[in-house]
Amino acid sequence: MQFRRGMKKFIRHILITFFLLFGVTGISAGVLAYPKAFAVDTGIEKGSEIEMDEPVVVFFSEPVITRTVEENLQIYPSIPVSYTWENSGKKLSITPRTHWLPETEYEIKINEGRSVMFTSVESHLIFKTVNFPKAESFLPEKGAEDVVIDIEDPIVVKFDKPLKNFKIKIKIEPFEKLTYSFNSEEKELKILSYSGFKKGQKYDIFLYAKNKDDDDSAYKEIGSTFFQTKPMAPEDWAEDFGTRLIQAKKFTEAKLKNGKYIDINLKTQIMTIFEDG
């Protein structure tokens, strides 16, 4: 590879010297005789994880006539963009006027562009934008039973990336009015119900995300979970002492979550000792 590149540069050096001696006629004849020596290779600086407002940078091995490239450049899916040229027509930055769609593969096609040596510039490049954030974990875990949700033990969702450029929508079935907050890194979400989750109820939670500037039709599901809350304690506890112990472990809840706490139920004759909840 290095040898071929070196030979290409050597041939070009010889031909350019020839062109300088024989003028435009020599240039035309040389390009026609040795097209590979002036062929334009293209490349992309970064082909994946392109942020939604990040420029895509295309490199050309030889200077190009910028107007011919812009006129013959197409992007699929179509999106309005702006062009910035550097390095004497060898570096092109393509910036979206709005934003790239997340989790989308784009194609850049150039047909019939021209280099400064009037050789054809054709290219087909691909780049992929950043993925939507994904819910990595839930607390309580998916499918958990006998769950108790309160201000000290909220629902916690952890994501694989910060949510700074995204807006989140939460759907819960059956419906509850929710309140939620993010941590400083915007990678963790805590969810609570305004009025408290109902006892003995199965809940399904769905999370959706979209770019902050998109309309609501752009929301995409990024995670889901379900759990069942702890049922109400029975009115009458079991006569059998062993069964009552099982009921005590299931239904007795600590009133204090820090340190030691002792709950004495005179009706059931059960004492339950907690430590740190």
Side-chain angles (χ1 to χ4, degrees):
M1 181 67 73
Q2 293 290 343
F3 175 76
R4 287 201 298 270
R5 288 177 180 173
M7 286 299 296
K8 182 178 177 180
K9 288 183 178 179
F10 175 74
I11 292 172
R12 287 181 66 253
H13 178 74
I14 297 298
L15 290 173
I16 289 172
T17 302
F18 178 80
F19 299 158
L20 292 174
L21 292 174
F22 293 95
V24 175
T25 303
I27 292 175
S28 301
V31 171
L32 291 173
Y34 299 95
K36 290 185 178 180
F38 294 92
V40 179
D41 298 322
T42 60
I44 196 164
E45 183 179 62
K46 182 180 173 184
S48 62
E49 291 296 306
I50 299 294
E51 296 290 342
M52 289 176 283
D53 57 354
E54 181 180 0
V56 173
V57 179
V58 178
F59 291 104
F60 301 87
S61 61
E62 307 296 336
V64 300
I65 301 173
T66 59
R67 174 183 55 79
T68 66
V69 170
E70 291 183 20
E71 290 175 352
N72 293 281
L73 188 151
Q74 293 177 305
I75 298 178
Y76 304 94
S78 180
I79 182 173
V81 296
S82 300
Y83 300 117
T84 303
W85 290 91
E86 298 177 69
N87 198 17
S88 302
K90 294 178 68 175
K91 178 180 177 181
L92 169 62
S93 296
I94 306 173
T95 305
R97 293 181 185 174
T98 53
H99 61 268
W100 309 114
L101 295 175
E103 212 163 289
T104 302
E105 184 175 272
Y106 285 89
E107 294 181 80
I108 300 175
K109 290 186 178 181
I110 303 172
N111 296 309
E112 299 181 2
R114 287 287 181 267
S115 73
V116 294
M117 300 301 291
F118 301 104
T119 54
S120 176
V121 177
E122 297 192 6
S123 182
H124 180 205
L125 302 169
I126 293 174
F127 67 92
K128 193 173 184 302
T129 54
V130 293
N131 291 330
F132 279 91
K134 295 292 188 297
E136 284 188 317
S137 66
F138 293 91
L139 187 68
E141 294 181 352
K142 182 178 286 189
E145 297 179 347
D146 297 333
V147 170
V148 177
I149 305 293
D150 58 33
I151 194 167
E152 293 188 19
D153 293 301
I155 300 167
V156 179
V157 186
K158 293 186 178 180
F159 298 92
D160 62 346
K161 64 173 65 179
L163 302 173
K164 59 182 180 179
N165 293 321
F166 293 90
K167 185 176 181 180
I168 298 296
K169 181 173 71 173
I170 305 170
K171 178 182 177 183
I172 184 166
E173 297 176 352
F175 175 79
E176 293 279 353
K177 188 176 181 181
L178 300 175
T179 177
Y180 60 89
S181 62
F182 292 97
N183 68 349
S184 58
E185 296 178 350
E186 295 191 62
K187 289 185 67 176
E188 183 177 284
L189 172 66
K190 293 183 178 180
I191 307 171
L192 285 170
S193 167
Y194 270 105
S195 57
F197 291 99
K198 296 179 179 65
K199 295 281 188 179
Q201 177 68 57
K202 178 181 178 292
Y203 287 98
D204 292 281
I205 294 180
F206 304 90
L207 301 173
Y208 304 87
K210 72 177 184 72
N211 180 279
K212 288 181 177 179
D213 298 324
D214 287 335
D215 58 39
D216 288 352
S217 64
Y219 273 114
K220 177 179 178 178
E221 185 175 327
I222 60 171
S224 64
T225 188
F226 66 93
F227 60 86
Q228 184 153 344
T229 56
K230 183 184 291 187
M232 294 286 290
E235 288 289 333
D236 297 311
W237 289 45
E239 292 286 340
D240 179 72
F241 182 71
T243 304
R244 273 190 289 150
L245 286 177
I246 295 172
Q247 290 175 319
K249 290 180 181 179
K250 180 172 184 177
F251 296 114
T252 308
E253 298 177 11
K255 302 295 189 293
L256 302 175
K257 296 298 179 70
N258 297 318
K260 292 183 179 180
Y261 167 74
I262 300 174
D263 183 280
I264 299 175
N265 189 324
L266 296 177
K267 180 179 178 180
T268 61
Q269 295 293 294
I270 294 290
M271 180 176 71
T272 309
I273 301 173
F274 296 88
E275 184 166 3
D276 295 331

